[in-house]
Amino acid sequence: MIKKRSKISAEFNTASMSDINFLLLIFFLVSTMFAVEKGLPMALPGQQSKSVKLKKENVLTLQAFANGSIVARGTGPLALHEVQRFIQNKLIQNPKLVIVIETHPDADYGLMIDLLDELRLADAEYISLRTMKTGS
Amino acid sequence: MKIVKKQGVQSTIPTGSMADIIFLLLIFFMVTTIFKMEEGLPIRLPRAESGSELDRERLINIWADRYNRISINDKLIHVDNIQAVITSRFEENPQLVVAFNVDHRTRYSLVSDIMDQLKEANAVNVTFVSMGEEGS
């Protein structure tokens, strides 16, 4: 018996392979998101800086507790998403307001950053960091 | 009258192997490139919306994780020694900014202790490194 030769070519077309590769490359280049690291700048009080006496009505203290709750001194507890609106209102009443973030030593660092972020979003200019005194 | 001879030299460059050459170059540069990586500690940065761009030329990175380990320049360090390290770095370049790469679950007291050391060393410009909202 004579075997029939198959007429179908067993090779496939590799000429467009590089095009496909380039398309894939460009797709992943565009769709890759790099983790963007950003900074929240602060100026700490140094040794040379003098302490300035502030009037009581120009100071607003936000306290961050170890259980994650936030309390505005004199007003009461606040939810994190309320902070920005609250601070904006306070700043309209008194643009010279200094906001003190008083964090409990056992609180998470992330909570302090959340508060600092909200204050920066509310365009607060004078922010001060303080650690809560415990055992008093 | 002269008869113009047809030139037998082909005027096309074979481009079939171009993709191979490009791949070889790609692999060569991938293998020979050395990234300068400062690893620090494995941490999860806090998220913040209001972050601004970091000026990487002027940064000293301090890493702190939730197990209260602190690392500067890839060396684990005790809190009390931060002042000495930072002071010597500031003698070389007083324009430096100290970047806090701190895990968001770290207790605030550690951050507070680091800040006290920085105040002693007169390193007053700090920035809290955070993850932008798009970062993964």
Side-chain angles (χ1 to χ4, degrees):
Chain A
M1 245 172 96
I2 301 162
K3 268 190 188 166
K4 257 193 198 166
R5 273 219 181 142
S6 141
K7 275 181 187 165
I8 303 164
S9 157
E11 291 169 12
F12 55 88
N13 198 2
T14 54
S16 56
M17 199 64 121
S18 64
D19 297 336
I20 296 167
N21 278 335
F22 266 109
L23 259 175
L24 281 173
L25 183 73
I26 289 164
F27 172 74
F28 283 108
L29 266 176
V30 171
S31 64
T32 304
M33 269 202 265
F34 288 99
V36 235
E37 287 181 1
K38 301 227 167 149
L40 309 172
M42 276 289 283
L44 300 178
Q47 284 175 317
Q48 279 111 12
S49 56
K50 294 170 209 145
S51 55
V52 187
K53 279 253 165 81
L54 289 167
K55 283 184 192 160
K56 219 178 179 185
E57 64 262 27
N58 286 346
V59 182
L60 175 71
T61 308
L62 291 177
Q63 294 176 306
F65 288 97
N67 59 4
S69 59
I70 299 157
V71 174
R73 188 178 276 170
T75 310
L78 281 173
L80 186 63
H81 62 91
E82 294 168 346
V83 172
Q84 187 184 346
R85 180 71 52 82
F86 176 75
I87 295 296
Q88 275 168 342
N89 286 336
K90 289 281 180 187
L91 281 171
I92 290 166
Q93 289 163 26
N94 183 1
K96 285 191 290 184
L97 197 66
V98 176
I99 295 141
V100 179
I101 303 178
E102 197 176 84
T103 317
H104 191 277
D106 288 330
D108 279 349
Y109 165 74
L111 182 64
M112 189 277 278
I113 291 296
D114 286 342
L115 266 177
L116 186 60
D117 188 31
E118 293 294 320
L119 295 189
R120 282 170 54 90
L121 287 175
D123 290 323
E125 218 171 314
Y126 309 107
I127 304 171
S128 165
L129 300 177
R130 193 191 291 160
T131 314
M132 213 178 281
K133 300 255 193 321
T134 49
S136 57
Chain B
M1 207 174 127
K2 265 190 179 171
I3 297 162
V4 183
K5 259 191 196 165
K6 266 198 183 167
Q7 279 189 323
V9 184
Q10 270 194 337
S11 61
T12 51
I13 301 166
T15 53
S17 56
M18 197 69 116
D20 300 332
I21 296 168
I22 305 267
F23 266 111
L24 260 176
L25 280 172
L26 183 73
I27 289 163
F28 174 74
F29 283 110
M30 271 174 67
V31 170
T32 55
T33 306
I34 300 163
F35 288 100
K36 197 203 170 285
M37 295 270 253
E38 195 186 356
E39 261 303 307
L41 297 167
I43 53 164
R44 287 176 63 187
L45 290 169
R47 287 180 178 273
E49 287 172 53
S50 66
S52 42
E53 293 295 322
L54 294 167
D55 184 3
R56 300 212 174 263
E57 306 282 300
R58 288 167 50 198
L59 290 187
I60 312 181
N61 284 298
I62 293 186
W63 305 78
D65 70 0
R66 61 186 164 134
Y67 309 111
N68 290 354
R69 292 181 298 190
I70 301 166
S71 149
I72 302 177
N73 295 333
D74 286 337
K75 269 183 291 219
L76 284 177
I77 189 173
H78 192 263
V79 192
D80 300 335
N81 300 329
I82 292 176
Q83 189 199 341
V85 175
I86 296 292
T87 310
S88 65
R89 287 290 295 273
F90 267 70
E91 277 164 11
E92 296 162 26
N93 182 1
Q95 302 286 304
L96 288 171
V97 176
V98 180
F100 278 70
N101 296 272
V102 181
D103 194 296
H104 68 104
R105 295 159 295 188
T106 312
R107 283 176 71 227
Y108 185 71
S109 59
L110 183 71
V111 182
S112 167
D113 292 344
I114 298 173
M115 283 198 280
D116 286 341
Q117 290 280 318
L118 294 183
K119 285 174 196 167
E120 297 277 310
N122 242 326
V124 291
N125 286 314
V126 301
T127 181
F128 300 105
V129 180
S130 63
M131 206 61 103
E133 286 297 294
E134 297 158 291
S136 49

